[in-house]
Amino acid sequence: MRAWVILAALWAQPVLAQTPPAQPVGTDQEAGSAPAPEPVHDRAADRFYPAAQMAAAEHWMMQGEVPSRFQAYRLDLAEARIGKGADGYHLEGEAWTGNLHRLVLRVRAEGDWGQRLEQGEIQAAYAYALGPWWSLQAGVRRDVGVEAQRSHAMIGLEGLSPYRFDILALGFVSDKGVVSARVEASIDERLTRRIVLQPRAELVALAQDDRQARLGAGLSSIEAGLRIRYEITRKFAPYAGVNWGWSFGGTADYARMDGKPAAQRSFVLGVRSWY
C-alpha cells in the first residue's frame, strides 16, 4: 500500500509544478507592476514650518536651485540687569547676509539706566564657511561709549562644537597695539517643547595692560550666566536668570580704584528673538 502512495506522489509532482500561480482576484495587473507608495517624510522641520515652505525647500534641494543669498538676524540678549548698586542693561545681537561667503554685523552695548553708554562695540566681518559647522571670520571692531574709543583688527572662528556648544572665539589687535582675545560659549538644553535652559560663559584675556580701557594683562574677566526662556514662538522668547561676573589681576585693581566691585551678581529679565 505504501508503494502505491509513493508512486502517486511522484507522478503528481511535475503536474503541480507546471500549474501557473493564481492571479489575485479583481486585478488585471501583472505581479510587481503596482505603483510604489508615496514616500513618507520623517523630518523635524515639518512640525514647525508650513507645508508650502517645506515643499519649496525640497524643490530647491532636488533641482539644485538653491538661492544664492540668505539673510538672518538674531538678538541673543536684550536684558535688564538688577543687582547691588545701579541697575543696568545689556544687549548683544547679530545680522548676516550671504551663503558660503557672508557679511556679518554684530553689536554689543551695556551700561546703567539713565547714564551714557558705558561700553559698546560694532563689529563688521567677512565669514567663510569651512564646513557645515564652522566659519572663519575676519574684519574690524569699533569701540564706542564712555570708556576707550578705538578700532581693532579682528579674526576668529564661529561654530558648533561637539556636544552642541555654540562657540565664538575672536582675537583683536587695537590701533594702540593691544592684543586681546574673547571666547564665548553657550548651549541650549531643552527641558520641554517650549522651555529652554541656557548656560553661557565669556572669557576675556589680554597680552598687555590697557590703562585707557582699564583692563589688565593676562586673564582679565570671566562672565557666566544661567537663563531659562519660554518660547512663545521659536522666534520670540522672554527669559529670566542670573548672571555673575569676576575681574582678575590688573582689571580687578582698576575696578577697585574706580570704586567698582571686582565680583558682582545680578538677576536678569530679557527677551531673545531671531528672524
Side-chain angles (χ1 to χ4, degrees):
M1 184 64 181
R2 290 183 180 179
W4 285 105
V5 173
I6 295 174
L7 289 174
L10 292 175
W11 175 82
Q13 183 174 0
V15 177
L16 294 174
Q18 295 175 7
T19 303
Q23 293 289 337
V25 178
T27 180
D28 296 331
Q29 294 181 339
E30 297 181 1
S33 63
E38 291 294 327
V40 178
H41 292 297
D42 186 18
R43 299 176 298 208
D46 288 326
R47 288 176 260 169
F48 306 109
Y49 293 94
Q53 292 185 16
M54 292 301 300
E58 186 174 11
H59 173 75
W60 291 336
M61 181 181 68
M62 299 301 293
Q63 302 298 325
E65 300 175 4
V66 179
S68 59
R69 180 176 297 176
F70 297 90
Q71 300 85 28
Y73 90 87
R74 188 176 70 223
L75 186 62
D76 287 324
L77 299 177
E79 62 190 27
R81 295 186 172 182
I82 306 166
K84 293 183 178 180
D87 299 332
Y89 60 88
H90 185 92
L91 301 172
E92 291 186 25
E94 173 181 308
W96 59 263
T97 181
N99 199 329
L100 295 178
H101 305 270
R102 294 182 179 181
L103 176 64
V104 182
L105 182 68
R106 296 191 190 93
V107 294
R108 291 166 60 104
E110 67 176 46
D112 295 335
W113 295 113
Q115 304 294 327
R116 293 179 58 190
L117 176 65
E118 183 177 350
Q119 293 181 355
E121 65 182 55
I122 302 171
Q123 299 176 9
Y126 160 76
Y128 174 71
L130 300 176
W133 310 114
W134 292 94
S135 66
L136 177 65
Q137 304 187 2
V140 294
R141 161 188 154 191
R142 176 64 182 176
D143 293 345
V144 296
V146 174
E147 298 191 359
Q149 299 188 20
R150 59 182 58 172
S151 300
H152 307 252
M154 178 180 71
I155 190 169
L157 286 171
E158 182 178 24
L160 187 67
S161 74
Y163 303 102
R164 300 180 294 108
F165 282 92
D166 288 303
I167 304 292
L168 177 61
L170 298 173
F172 308 97
V173 180
S174 75
D175 52 12
K176 303 297 182 181
V178 177
V179 178
S180 61
R182 178 194 298 152
V183 179
E184 303 173 26
S186 65
I187 185 172
D188 286 349
E189 296 290 350
R190 191 165 294 278
L191 304 181
T192 69
R193 192 168 66 89
R194 292 184 180 271
I195 299 176
V196 181
L197 181 68
Q198 185 192 63
R200 61 185 296 136
E202 176 183 296
L203 181 149
V204 177
L206 286 82
Q208 60 267 91
D209 282 348
D210 188 347
R211 299 185 63 183
Q212 185 179 1
R214 315 299 282 172
L215 300 173
L219 179 59
S220 174
S221 64
I222 294 178
E223 190 170 301
L226 189 64
R227 295 166 176 81
I228 187 167
R229 67 177 184 264
Y230 180 80
E231 294 184 340
I232 298 175
T233 70
R234 286 295 176 115
K235 297 181 179 181
F236 185 81
Y239 64 82
V242 62
N243 196 76
W244 297 269
W246 301 272
S247 299
F248 303 95
T251 303
D253 295 336
Y254 284 127
R256 296 186 187 99
M257 285 188 289
D258 295 338
K260 300 178 181 179
Q264 53 187 344
R265 181 185 65 186
S266 57
F267 296 97
V268 300
L269 294 171
V271 65
R272 182 179 188 268
S273 68
W274 63 271
Y275 179 78

